[in-house]
Amino acid sequence: MSGNTYGKLFTVTTFGESHGVALGAIVDGCPPGLELTEADIQIDLDRRKPGTSRYTTQRREEDAVKILSGVFEGKTTGTPIGMLIENTDQRSKDYSNIKDQFRPAHADYTYMQKYGVRDYRGGGRSSARETAMRVAAGSIAKKYLKDFHGIEVRGYLSQLGPIKIETVDWDQVDQNPFFCPDASKVPEMEAFMQALNKEGDSIGAKITVTATNVPPGLGEPIFDRLDAEIAHALMSINAVKGVEIGEGFGSVEQRGTQHRDEITPEGFLSNNAGGILGGISSGQEIIAHIALKPTSSLHVPGRSVDVHGNAVEVITKGRHDPCVGIRATPIAEAMLALVLMDHLLRQRGQNGAVKHSVPVIPASVK
C-alpha cells in the first residue's frame, strides 16, 4: 500500500493495523543533537490513548512506545528513528459478524474495491489506531521546534456537536477529558455525551490547532504552499471532512476591508489569514481548524450491503469512540508540527543564506 510516508526532508512512515501485533513508525531526517527519550514521546501518547475517560472507547491500550534506533546516550544521532507500540487489548472476535459486510460510512467498501481484500478487524489500516504513530512522530517534531526555535504547537476542542467554545484558557485544556479550554462548558459537554451514549449515537466535533513563534518565510510556492500542506496533513487524519486556515469559510461573509490584515511598523492589526500569506508564513500565529464527522461504528442498525451485493442490516459491535474528535487534539498538533518541521528544514536548506534588509513585523500590536 503506497501513501504511508509524509514529508520531504523530515519524513514519517507508519505501519501496522488496529488489531495487528504492533504499530510502528520510521522518522527520518531528524537533525542530530535533540535530547530525546521515550518519556518525552509518551507524554503526547498518553493524551491520545484510548480508555482514558468514559467518553471515549474503552479499549485499554497503554501505548507504551519503544525507541528502536536513532537515539544514542539520550540524543538523536541524525539516523532514522524507529519506534514501536505493541497492541495488547485487541478483541477481534467483536468483528467476526461483519467480515462479509460493509459498515456504512467506513472504508470497508472502498478498501475492497481498491485492493480486493481488507482486514475487517477494527478497520485494519484504516482505523484511527494508526494515528498513535503520528502522535509519536509529531512529538519529536514538536520538541525540536520548541527546543531549537521556540515554536509552540498547541490545540484544543473548539466545538462538540452544538456546544461551541467562547473563551480560551490554555491552562484548562489538559484539565478535562475533552481538551476543552473553557471550563464553564465542560459540565454541558459531559451531560451531552451521557445522553448520547444512552441513545447509542455519535456526534462530530471541531478542533483548533495553532503554532506560535513561527518565523516568516516557511512555505514553498506554488504547489507546496504552507497552507496547502497543512490542509493536506490535517485532512489525512481519520474522520476529518473539513479544514480551515485562519478565518476560513467565515471569510465568505467578510468584506475586503474587514478581511485584509493591515500592517503597521508596530505589528499586524488582525490575523484573518491564519498566519499565512501567499502560501508562506508571515510570522503571525498559525491557526487551523478541522471538522471531524460523527463516528460511523454504531450499535444502532444501519442499512448496507455484503460482499455479494445483497442488502443487509449492520450492527457494529466492539468498543468505539462516540465522538472521535475528543481524542483528536494531540493528532492535529502532531500533523501541524510535522508540516512545520519539514518546511523549517526545507527553508534552511534552500534559503538559509538569504539576506535582506526587510524588518520582521511583530505578529500583533502589543
Side-chain angles (χ1 to χ4, degrees):
M1 185 190 297
S2 59
N4 294 297
T5 300
Y6 179 80
K8 293 190 175 180
L9 293 187
F10 188 90
T11 65
V12 177
T13 301
T14 71
F15 62 87
E17 295 81 34
S18 176
H19 286 222
V21 175
L23 304 170
I26 300 294
V27 176
D28 203 0
C30 182
L34 172 68
E35 294 184 356
L36 185 68
T37 66
E38 292 170 347
D40 294 323
I41 300 170
Q42 197 64 49
I43 293 172
D44 278 331
L45 285 171
D46 287 346
R47 295 170 68 220
R48 191 220 71 98
K49 73 179 182 181
T52 56
S53 81
R54 62 187 298 187
Y55 309 111
T56 63
T57 173
Q58 292 308 294
R59 178 172 175 172
R60 299 286 180 176
E61 294 284 358
E62 289 304 313
D63 282 355
V65 66
K66 297 178 182 178
I67 297 178
L68 307 179
S69 63
V71 177
F72 180 66
E73 295 183 341
K75 292 186 178 181
T76 56
T77 62
T79 58
I81 301 171
M83 296 181 290
L84 192 74
I85 294 175
E86 295 181 358
N87 288 325
T88 60
D89 190 28
Q90 311 98 308
R91 288 202 329 213
S92 300
K93 60 181 176 59
D94 288 342
Y95 296 88
S96 58
N97 66 314
I98 60 165
K99 67 183 181 67
D100 293 324
Q101 300 176 342
F102 299 129
R103 294 168 297 174
H106 270 277
D108 300 345
Y109 172 75
T110 51
Y111 264 55
M112 280 295 290
Q113 289 289 359
K114 183 172 180 64
Y115 301 106
V117 64
R118 70 181 173 97
D119 183 347
Y120 62 84
R121 305 167 303 166
R125 183 71 175 150
S126 68
S127 169
R129 179 103 186 100
E130 177 269 338
T131 61
M133 298 318 304
R134 302 188 192 205
V135 171
S139 69
I140 298 174
K142 284 173 65 176
K143 193 172 192 304
Y144 186 91
L145 291 170
K146 188 169 184 179
D147 288 1
F148 285 86
H149 296 276
I151 298 171
E152 187 168 17
V153 178
R154 300 183 293 183
Y156 59 87
L157 178 76
S158 48
Q159 185 173 345
L160 175 68
I163 306 171
K164 296 181 180 180
I165 299 306
E166 297 173 356
T167 61
V168 176
D169 180 352
W170 286 108
D171 292 334
Q172 291 296 319
V173 173
D174 288 323
Q175 301 303 313
N176 60 80
F178 301 101
F179 296 93
C180 176
D182 185 348
S184 68
K185 295 292 184 180
V186 173
E188 186 178 356
M189 289 182 176
E190 291 177 331
F192 182 85
M193 291 304 300
Q194 289 169 12
L196 195 69
N197 282 333
K198 291 181 179 179
E199 297 172 12
D201 215 335
S202 61
I203 196 68
K206 178 180 177 181
I207 302 295
T208 297
V209 61
T210 71
T212 53
N213 298 321
V214 178
L218 304 189
E220 302 289 344
I222 294 294
F223 299 112
D224 289 350
R225 297 162 60 103
L226 186 60
D227 44 2
E229 297 244 310
I230 291 173
H232 173 193
L234 293 176
M235 185 63 84
S236 75
I237 299 172
N238 310 64
V240 171
K241 303 303 289 184
V243 178
E244 293 181 298
I245 306 295
E247 192 60 27
F249 288 102
S251 63
V252 173
E253 299 180 9
Q254 291 181 326
R255 298 193 177 194
T257 50
Q258 294 174 290
H259 181 79
R260 64 182 182 181
D261 300 317
E262 294 183 294
I263 309 172
T264 72
E266 292 73 36
F268 286 84
L269 299 183
S270 58
N271 190 18
N272 292 300
I276 302 171
L277 298 171
I280 301 172
S281 62
S282 65
Q284 292 183 273
E285 182 179 28
I286 303 290
I287 303 173
H289 314 277
I290 59 174
L292 296 103
K293 69 175 184 178
T295 310
S296 303
S297 293
L298 303 171
H299 297 296
V300 179
R303 293 177 296 176
S304 187
V305 296
D306 62 18
V307 295
H308 305 292
N310 301 313
V312 294
E313 186 177 70
V314 177
I315 299 177
T316 306
K317 297 181 180 180
R319 299 158 294 178
H320 307 283
D321 290 280
C323 177
V324 292
I326 291 178
R327 291 196 293 135
T329 294
I331 307 169
E333 292 174 355
M335 295 312 297
L336 178 57
L338 292 176
V339 175
L340 294 176
M341 183 71 189
D342 193 41
H343 275 275
L344 190 74
L345 296 180
R346 290 160 72 174
Q347 173 69 2
R348 185 177 73 177
Q350 182 184 20
N351 303 317
V354 170
K355 296 180 180 179
H356 56 74
S357 59
V358 180
V360 174
I361 303 299
S364 62
V365 176
K366 301 298 182 182

